[in-house]
Amino acid sequence: MNDDLEAAEAGLGQGNSSFHKLGKGIITFLRATLGFEPEIMREASERLADAEAQASTDHRRAQRNSHAYRSAIYPTGSEFALCHAQSQLMSAVVGVLNESLTESIKGFYKLRKAYITLDGILEAESRYVQGVSGVGHYGPGRRSVDSLRSNRSARSMKGMPGGFEGATRGKRTELSSIHPHDKQEASGHELDLAQEKDGASDVEEFYDADEAIDLPKPATYTGHVELDGVNGKLADLSVDTDTRDSEALLSPKMLPIREGMLDHDPDSDVFANPIDVFIHTGANLCFGMLLIMISMIPPAFGKLLFIIGFRGDRDRGLRMLWQASKFHNINGAMAGLILLGYYNTIVGFSDILPDSSSSSGDDAVEGYPKERCEALLADMRIRHPKSHLWLLEEARMNAANRRLSAAMALLNQSSKSPLKQVEALDMFEKSLDAMYMHDYTLCANSFVACVSLNNWSHALYYYIAGAAHVEQYRHYKTSSPKAAAIHAKKATELLREAPKHAGKKRFMARQLPFDIFVTRKLSKWEHRAHERNVELIDAIGVSPIEEMIYLWNGYKRMDPSQLDASLAALSWIESTSHNPTWTQESSDEHAILSVLRGVILRNLGQWDKATKALTKGVLSIDKAELKGSHKDDWTAPAAHYEMGVICWMRRRDTTGVNENDAKKDEREANWVKECEGWIEKAAKWEAYELDARIGVKIATAQDTLKKWRDGKGRG
């Protein structure tokens, strides 16, 4: 975690224990997830498989060895069970990021395997807390949620995660046998990892998916993205032999909620033994990350949750990561990195969020706990002074708090990281910040540099670089025709290069959403250029760079002056002196302009103007006019979502309101009710472009609104 992976490799190469092999797996995992290079991902899969096998062997040996470490908290061999689960969890992430649908499904399956082992370790912690306190941690008169799960779900602590009792094995394993009932209730006092029988492995359990089968439209929001092959494989999936049990397993009400979480500080006598520290921090890190990761699965991929067999719990996951981050070891550092990444990027992408706690204490997890995040970052910078990862997170933190200039200063002043993957992250962050700051030259150059540092989405990199030159062309078009011509040429070259790279990188056998978006945009502009008999640069509609800023939620990172600059950039397209054909422009282009302008005005706190822009420019248009070949159909659902955001923001608007006004709560409830109406409409929208991306915002909004209702006793 100090950017010296070569030294780490050298040290870990001196041993062959589960811990050494897990360490080497972590190193390659970090390289793989930071850079997405196919060869590194393959190496990570191989190393993690080796670590998983070694951990299983060492676990069996520990259980037979009378001299093995005996913890007061955990079952014998739990340290190796944790290594096993950590290997599976990282292997699952690599699998899901793989371009193969089969590997992705296997990855989701491994998530469930890791969950079962980690759940057993944390159950041991709960028993310990219960024993020390002398009081049942579920409270009097309340049946344990875990006891329900152990009676009804496929959890057997005597079975190796993945080697479920009763699973039929033949030439081809049926998916319907993934979650069979246990023959007996687990004792909860062992963590035996039984081996796969007859040499069977995950490779034999999954085959390429057949052709897609349309699924019936669900009552609740699940998105509209169709995965080639996955629907046919999952359409008839029976997660449990009893449908009612499988639905209960997936229900959030069935999640194990342990009020007796072991949350002692590192200097507590409870953690006198370093093995206990390793188990505690590792279990909290992995289970916390798992709960958050599952909770953030885009609704469009919700069907895959049936493979995992449970849903995420974002709040609980965050609390577990905060607990792990207290400790000065690799698990604590990883937990800190995940927390900062979550708050500075995931939270920054959403708008309808719980109110941030004003406290900097241990309970500050919702919204954006600014003081707690700053304290964590300062601590990590002290622990790992040479790591660029923490500098990157500090830059992201500045951007999340609308301090883009400070963020850019950090990214510019730091030396290059010895890790190519971290350097690529630095460059991508600099590219985005330059885009938000309207530094078009730096934006274009930085995104072009990303092409040689990272192979995630070259189509997107070329597209945004070209869009930056479009803005410069428009700026110089009347004042300096020579400069405008230079930028027109660069913009045209870069934009036409973008579609050539679309589809080269895939996620779960599907083309990346932005690759599809970029290809459709270029097709639209080329069609308009041919139809109007103009150059490509003059066929482009509403500012593509401002559109990208919105899709990356960059307006949330801008200060008022930068927001005003965006308004000025948008005004070019409707200026008759610069663009005399605007009045004849298509409805979808007018809708794009209205959505972007509305979001900017909302970020400036001008609620009424924002509402007017969205209502007049999008909501008053027949949605049929926004659909069709080449058209941007995402604007209508986005406008509904944005109306919901405005209502959410206005619920706490105290302008002209007496602090002691008895109707204050009623006004808030009315705004929230209206917000729910808009979000519900957006959630039920038919399939549209960028559905998965906007769908993540919608799902977060739904979760926030549910928490508000529960908190007000309106659930």
Side-chain angles (χ1 to χ4, degrees):
M1 300 305 294
N2 211 27
D3 282 12
D4 195 356
L5 296 190
E6 299 302 326
E9 287 271 15
L12 292 167
Q14 298 176 16
N16 288 306
S17 71
S18 292
F19 307 106
H20 287 83
K21 291 188 176 182
L22 176 64
K24 288 188 283 188
I26 290 174
I27 290 174
T28 319
F29 172 77
L30 284 172
R31 292 185 188 273
T33 53
L34 292 176
F36 302 107
E37 292 95 342
E39 62 277 7
I40 302 296
M41 295 180 76
R42 282 193 294 271
E43 182 184 357
S45 295
E46 293 169 0
R47 282 191 170 189
L48 291 169
D50 187 27
E52 185 179 335
Q54 185 65 51
S56 183
T57 300
D58 287 348
H59 182 267
R60 289 198 312 274
R61 185 180 297 120
Q63 291 192 313
R64 294 194 299 265
N65 186 354
S66 60
H67 299 291
Y69 172 65
R70 296 290 193 268
S71 170
I73 307 173
Y74 308 102
T76 302
S78 289
E79 63 271 34
F80 301 114
L82 175 63
C83 289
H84 189 268
Q86 284 184 303
S87 300
Q88 288 181 320
L89 183 55
M90 288 185 287
S91 180
V93 173
V94 173
V96 171
L97 292 175
N98 196 291
E99 297 183 10
S100 163
L101 176 59
T102 300
E103 290 299 317
S104 297
I105 293 178
K106 285 167 59 179
F108 277 96
Y109 184 36
K110 275 184 176 286
L111 290 182
R112 177 170 171 80
K113 294 182 181 182
Y115 171 89
I116 294 172
T117 301
L118 294 167
D119 187 47
I121 294 173
L122 291 166
E123 202 172 279
E125 285 193 358
S126 293
R127 287 195 304 272
Y128 174 80
V129 172
Q130 181 181 1
V132 171
S133 64
V135 178
H137 56 275
Y138 293 103
R142 179 185 174 202
R143 187 182 181 194
S144 161
V145 179
D146 273 327
S147 70
L148 291 173
R149 292 179 65 257
S150 63
N151 282 332
R152 303 168 62 181
S153 71
R155 180 167 60 89
S156 173
M157 299 316 298
K158 288 191 174 183
M160 181 177 183
F164 299 105
E165 312 282 35
T168 58
R169 288 191 180 277
K171 186 173 182 181
R172 179 168 177 169
T173 300
E174 297 296 330
L175 280 175
S176 60
S177 67
I178 289 179
H179 303 160
H181 285 297
D182 290 332
K183 299 298 183 183
Q184 60 182 4
E185 188 171 331
S187 66
H189 293 279
E190 295 178 311
L191 275 173
D192 293 338
L193 300 180
Q195 296 306 296
E196 298 281 0
K197 298 176 182 178
D198 304 323
S201 68
D202 288 341
V203 177
E204 297 171 337
E205 296 177 10
F206 291 93
Y207 288 73
D208 288 333
D210 299 324
E211 61 187 84
I213 299 176
D214 291 336
L215 294 171
K217 187 174 181 180
T220 56
Y221 183 67
T222 58
H224 308 282
V225 171
E226 296 178 0
L227 299 174
D228 291 338
V230 75
N231 284 352
K233 195 164 187 176
L234 298 179
D236 299 321
L237 172 62
S238 174
V239 183
D240 201 288
T241 54
D242 187 327
T243 304
R244 290 169 299 176
D245 286 354
S246 68
E247 289 175 351
L249 183 64
L250 284 167
S251 170
K253 294 180 181 178
M254 296 302 295
L255 286 172
I257 303 172
R258 298 184 176 87
E259 297 171 1
M261 177 179 172
L262 187 60
D263 57 359
H264 294 62
D265 290 331
D267 57 358
S268 169
D269 291 340
V270 173
F271 299 120
N273 192 293
I275 295 180
D276 286 343
V277 173
F278 170 73
I279 299 171
H280 174 72
T281 56
N284 276 273
L285 162 68
C286 293
F287 205 72
M289 180 173 69
L290 184 55
L291 291 177
I292 294 174
M293 188 163 57
I294 298 304
S295 75
M296 293 190 303
I297 288 179
F301 304 120
K303 186 69 176 177
L304 292 173
L305 288 171
F306 281 102
I307 294 180
I308 306 167
F310 67 95
R311 292 195 183 277
D313 185 334
R314 195 171 303 194
D315 286 354
R316 183 182 172 207
L318 288 170
R319 294 184 191 282
M320 297 182 83
L321 288 175
W322 278 112
Q323 172 64 13
S325 71
K326 297 177 184 177
F327 294 80
H328 290 216
N329 59 11
I330 179 63
N331 294 326
M334 288 289 289
L337 188 63
I338 294 169
L339 281 168
L340 292 172
Y342 169 79
Y343 286 115
N344 293 328
T345 55
I346 303 301
V347 170
F349 181 68
S350 303
D351 306 286
I352 299 179
L353 297 161
D355 292 326
S356 299
S357 172
S358 58
S359 168
S360 59
D362 291 343
D363 289 332
V365 300
E366 293 190 336
Y368 187 90
K370 185 170 178 289
E371 292 182 13
R372 197 175 186 191
C373 287
E374 289 175 346
L376 175 63
L377 178 61
D379 185 30
M380 290 299 172
R381 290 290 303 274
I382 293 172
R383 291 192 215 175
H384 313 286
K386 296 181 181 179
S387 176
H388 283 66
L389 287 171
W390 310 112
L391 283 172
L392 175 61
E393 290 305 330
E394 186 173 352
R396 285 175 172 170
M397 184 177 291
N398 277 303
N401 287 283
R402 299 185 186 269
R403 298 192 297 264
L404 286 170
S405 296
M408 185 63 75
L410 273 172
L411 293 169
N412 284 330
Q413 73 181 26
S414 61
S415 57
K416 282 189 177 182
S417 169
L419 301 178
K420 176 185 175 183
Q421 295 83 0
V422 177
E423 183 185 352
L425 286 177
D426 284 344
M427 185 59 69
F428 184 71
E429 193 68 23
K430 180 186 292 186
S431 304
L432 289 176
D433 287 350
M435 180 171 70
Y436 306 150
M437 296 173 68
H438 308 98
D439 188 338
Y440 302 125
T441 299
L442 180 60
C443 174
N445 293 340
S446 298
F447 269 113
V448 170
C450 285
V451 173
S452 61
L453 294 172
N454 179 287
N455 60 4
W456 178 246
S457 180
H458 288 180
L460 178 66
Y461 302 156
Y462 282 121
Y463 178 83
I464 299 180
H469 282 290
V470 170
E471 290 303 311
Q472 291 177 296
Y473 162 76
R474 291 178 173 180
H475 176 76
Y476 290 113
K477 188 175 181 180
T478 54
S479 62
S480 178
K482 186 176 181 180
I486 294 173
H487 289 294
K489 181 180 179 182
K490 289 182 178 179
T492 302
E493 291 173 352
L494 290 166
L495 291 173
R496 283 182 168 153
E497 182 70 20
K500 298 177 184 178
H501 299 269
K504 292 186 177 181
K505 181 67 180 178
R506 305 179 82 81
F507 177 71
M508 296 183 67
R510 288 286 296 183
Q511 201 171 341
L512 298 180
F514 270 129
D515 282 9
I516 298 173
F517 176 84
V518 165
T519 302
R520 200 251 325 146
K521 275 288 192 179
L522 263 295
S523 178
K524 175 182 181 178
W525 295 337
E526 294 283 11
H527 176 76
R528 285 154 59 102
H530 176 74
E531 191 177 58
R532 299 176 183 183
N533 194 28
V534 296
E535 297 294 329
L536 175 66
I537 192 73
D538 293 316
I540 296 171
V542 176
S543 171
I545 204 78
E546 292 297 327
E547 189 177 34
M548 274 292 126
I549 290 172
Y550 167 71
L551 294 173
W552 285 93
N553 214 2
Y555 295 131
K556 191 177 178 181
R557 292 164 171 78
M558 293 183 184
D559 62 27
S561 65
Q562 291 156 345
L563 290 167
D564 286 337
S566 281
L567 284 176
L570 289 177
S571 67
W572 186 94
I573 193 69
E574 58 183 353
S575 169
T576 54
S577 60
H578 294 133
N579 184 33
T581 62
W582 173 248
T583 55
Q584 298 151 18
E585 193 56 86
S586 59
S587 297
D588 65 319
E589 288 293 330
H590 282 272
I592 294 172
L593 177 63
S594 296
V595 169
L596 301 184
R597 179 170 286 155
V599 176
I600 296 171
L601 292 170
R602 187 252 296 168
N603 275 276
L604 286 168
Q606 299 177 25
W607 318 120
D608 291 334
K609 289 183 178 180
T611 300
K612 182 179 179 181
L614 293 169
T615 302
K616 183 179 179 181
V618 188
L619 302 177
S620 62
I621 299 175
D622 184 346
K623 66 178 183 180
E625 295 184 30
L626 304 177
K627 297 190 297 183
S629 178
H630 303 307
K631 290 192 175 182
D632 288 81
D633 62 355
W634 58 269
T635 53
H640 282 74
Y641 167 79
E642 291 299 335
M643 289 292 288
V645 177
I646 292 172
C647 294
W648 182 253
M649 299 300 177
R650 297 192 76 161
R651 84 194 195 285
R652 291 294 177 88
D653 184 10
T654 57
T655 305
V657 177
N658 189 327
E659 184 65 26
N660 298 318
D661 190 340
K663 294 186 177 181
K664 186 172 63 174
D665 289 342
E666 182 182 346
R667 261 195 307 274
E668 179 182 356
N670 288 337
W671 279 119
V672 173
K673 184 178 180 180
E674 185 176 347
C675 172
E676 288 177 318
W678 289 111
I679 296 302
E680 184 179 357
K681 289 179 182 178
K684 293 181 178 179
W685 211 266
E686 61 195 66
Y688 59 92
E689 190 174 52
L690 300 176
D691 171 278
R693 191 169 189 82
I694 297 174
V696 172
K697 292 183 176 185
I698 293 172
T700 301
Q702 290 174 319
D703 182 60
T704 300
L705 291 167
K706 182 181 183 302
K707 287 179 182 176
W708 185 91
R709 289 195 305 270
D710 293 343
K712 299 290 184 179
R714 299 169 185 264

